[in-house]
Amino acid sequence: MNANPNGTGQQLWKRAKQIIPGGNMLLSKRAEMFLPDLWPAYFSKTKGCKVWDLDGNEYTDMCIMGIGTNTLGYNHEEVDAAVIKTVAAGNMSTFNCPEEVYLAEKLIEIHPWADMARFARSGGEANAIAIRIARAASGKDKVAICGYHGWHDWYLAANLGDDNHLAGHLLPGLDPKGVPQNLRGTVYPFNYNNYAELEEIVDNNDIGVIKMEVMRNKGPEDNFLQRVRDLATKRGIVLIFDECTSGFRQTFGGIHKMYGVEPDMAMFGKALGNGYAMTATIGRREIMESAQSTFISSTFWTERIGPTAALKTLEVMEREKSWERITETGTGIMARWQTLAKKHGLTVNVAGLPSIASFGFDGPNALAYKTLITQEMLGKGYLASNLIFSSLAHTPDVVDGYFNALDPVFGLIKECEQGLDVMSLLKGPICHAGFKRLN
């Protein structure tokens, strides 16, 4: 199985770039982020951790697993059965769906500090909802942020006047064109574990909201999360934890439960519906009730499939202890990357939550090596990069097969470190690292 520039998927991707700005709806799924000119790009079906392209080729997904949406695996039978039952009964109505009440109750049960919930269908929406409510509650416009929080104006405003502000949080090269200039000075990024930086921002600006990811590549140091909580409490600032990525991966609920630090609001997405669109914003009553003094409303936030899928996903997660299993799988993968690198005399940097594990090489050839891995592993029937979102479908046998395939690729990289030209091994361009126009 070889990377094929004439494959149906690659040909369709070329058509897509002519009629869809950017080629698709999500930057992380662009073919250029993996294997420019050669990535199959489109799928025909999925099951477990298997993906089939438009030409019927079967791959094992040791990569982003739908951008981390499918912790139970693709096409989970119980979740799909619940959704199919909903489709048969009807997805939309003049009435509201009862499942949204049941889901709100369940999320509040899981997070006893919270009293109320609002729902949406994408992470960016959940972030925008949370910021709107928090600003309404605080009566202040200015926000301190740490992490990635979506594509909306409020967030990209951090790059107005300085397009490097979000480089450490999102991607380098993002130009905030289309974002109103009068939003400049409303968002202040701070670096994770740098409490002094946040304190300085709060001391010198009228901050009403602190929004941050609880953990992404590394955990809190020097009691960082509790110090942020204490600062927010002392200054009357609304503290929001963005758990759209981290939620339900290392605990049953938000990863903040691991650290015993409670925010005023939190958001969940990605894993919540196991591939079906569902995001949630939960919070304390006195904060959340501010939603009624502003306007937050959308037709498709009332459809029934999302909350149906979420309720069944939570049921299966709780029964299977999925967060424990995917953490164990990811922890094992991280250790084996290190072992394999050591075997070949290479050095890799391993980072991330165990269930969202990543590795990288230092040096000028880092992106070329990443591209080489994707190219070689695709030929062996694997979707692979330098990032793995673990799922219940990633059984020990699947992981063993992945490492058996990866072993000789690390051997090739060692040869390149010893003088072989990596570019002579690549059949196409090097993958993209940040935001780039596709024309």
Side-chain angles (χ1 to χ4, degrees):
M1 196 183 307
N2 294 311
N4 184 3
N6 297 311
T8 303
Q10 186 55 223
Q11 292 303 305
L12 188 61
W13 177 245
K14 289 173 182 174
R15 284 162 53 189
K17 288 190 285 186
Q18 300 302 311
I19 55 174
I20 298 173
N24 67 351
M25 312 306 143
L26 183 71
L27 176 61
S28 300
K29 285 191 179 183
R30 288 182 181 178
E32 283 73 12
M33 302 300 283
F34 298 95
L35 202 59
D37 301 342
L38 296 168
W39 191 244
Y42 298 91
F43 76 99
S44 58
K45 64 177 182 176
T46 60
K47 185 64 181 176
C49 60
K50 301 288 187 179
V51 178
W52 285 261
D53 68 15
L54 297 185
D55 294 314
N57 297 308
E58 177 186 325
Y59 304 95
T60 300
D61 196 338
M62 300 299 292
C63 194
I64 55 178
M65 281 296 293
I67 315 294
T69 53
N70 292 76
T71 59
L72 306 181
Y74 293 129
N75 289 53
H76 190 276
E77 289 183 2
E78 291 177 71
V79 179
D80 286 357
V83 168
I84 290 167
K85 185 177 178 181
T86 286
V87 171
N91 186 44
M92 273 296 251
S93 164
T94 296
F95 286 161
N96 298 294
C97 71
E99 289 84 0
E100 67 185 24
V101 184
Y102 310 149
L103 180 58
E105 290 172 340
K106 184 63 178 177
L107 289 172
I108 292 165
E109 174 193 317
I110 295 168
H111 304 89
W113 59 265
D115 305 294
M116 306 185 87
R118 286 294 300 257
F119 300 121
R121 294 299 179 273
S122 76
E125 290 176 328
N127 272 277
I129 289 168
I131 282 294
R132 174 71 67 78
I133 293 174
R135 279 173 163 164
S138 69
K140 297 178 180 180
D141 294 341
K142 295 184 178 180
V143 180
I145 61 106
C146 178
Y148 170 60
H149 306 299
W151 63 273
H152 290 74
D153 285 2
W154 78 265
Y155 179 62
L156 288 184
N159 273 2
L160 289 170
D162 186 346
D163 62 7
N164 290 318
H165 272 165
L166 292 179
H169 301 260
L170 183 54
L171 292 163
L174 281 182
D175 193 326
K177 286 182 179 176
V179 178
Q181 286 291 325
N182 60 9
L183 291 180
R184 184 174 181 176
T186 58
V187 180
Y188 298 81
F190 64 96
N191 289 294
Y192 193 76
N193 278 328
N194 192 333
Y195 178 78
E197 184 181 21
L198 172 61
E199 190 174 41
E200 183 180 2
I201 290 170
V202 170
D203 284 343
N204 294 301
N205 301 280
D206 193 19
I207 300 295
V209 183
I210 297 172
K211 172 179 277 197
M212 61 180 293
E213 290 186 277
V214 181
M215 175 184 171
R216 198 168 184 97
N217 291 321
K218 57 184 178 180
E221 298 168 0
D222 194 23
N223 210 23
F224 179 63
L225 292 176
Q226 187 60 54
R227 294 175 77 190
V228 173
R229 172 69 273 179
D230 293 344
L231 178 66
T233 301
K234 181 180 177 182
R235 304 293 181 92
I237 295 170
V238 178
L239 176 61
I240 306 173
F241 285 163
D242 179 353
E243 299 245 27
C244 282
T245 297
S246 59
F248 298 93
R249 295 190 182 281
Q250 213 156 330
T251 65
F252 186 51
I255 199 173
H256 65 269
K257 295 172 69 173
M258 278 178 52
Y259 301 105
V261 180
E262 296 175 347
D264 299 306
M265 302 176 72
M267 293 94 63
F268 303 101
K270 291 194 186 294
L272 189 56
N274 202 58
Y276 293 98
M278 191 69 223
T279 55
T281 301
I282 65 172
R284 304 183 194 276
R285 184 175 305 277
E286 62 272 22
I287 305 296
M288 294 295 290
E289 284 187 332
S290 296
Q292 297 193 76
S293 62
T294 182
F295 183 63
I296 302 170
S297 183
S298 182
T299 297
F300 281 104
W301 292 346
T302 70
E303 63 84 39
R304 199 178 192 180
I305 287 174
T308 295
L311 284 165
K312 183 56 70 172
T313 297
L314 292 176
E315 178 188 322
V316 175
M317 282 179 174
E318 195 165 15
R319 184 186 75 224
E320 298 291 334
K321 300 271 192 296
S322 61
W323 61 94
E324 293 180 1
R325 291 170 58 185
I326 64 175
T327 295
E328 182 181 0
T329 298
T331 300
I333 287 170
M334 294 171 97
R336 290 179 73 170
W337 279 332
Q338 296 278 26
T339 301
L340 190 59
K342 187 176 180 180
K343 172 184 175 181
H344 290 283
L346 298 168
T347 300
V348 294
N349 304 308
V350 176
L353 295 175
S355 60
I356 316 175
S358 64
F359 73 93
F361 297 93
D362 288 329
N365 287 330
L367 268 185
Y369 291 160
K370 178 185 171 186
T371 310
L372 180 65
I373 289 169
T374 302
Q375 172 186 289
E376 295 302 301
M377 292 297 282
L378 191 70
K380 299 167 185 276
Y382 289 89
L383 304 183
S385 181
N386 66 336
L387 175 68
I388 294 180
F389 283 84
S390 293
S391 76
L392 296 187
H394 290 113
T395 61
D397 285 349
V398 169
V399 175
D400 286 348
Y402 163 77
F403 276 100
N404 288 337
L406 187 62
D407 189 335
V409 185
F410 268 43
L412 266 181
I413 292 171
K414 178 61 176 179
E415 289 184 46
C416 293
E417 286 290 280
Q418 294 174 329
L420 179 63
D421 181 9
V422 64
M423 299 307 296
S424 71
L425 300 175
L426 296 180
K427 301 171 185 174
I430 293 175
C431 68
H432 291 185
F435 176 79
K436 294 182 181 180
R437 290 181 61 87
L438 291 183
N439 56 10

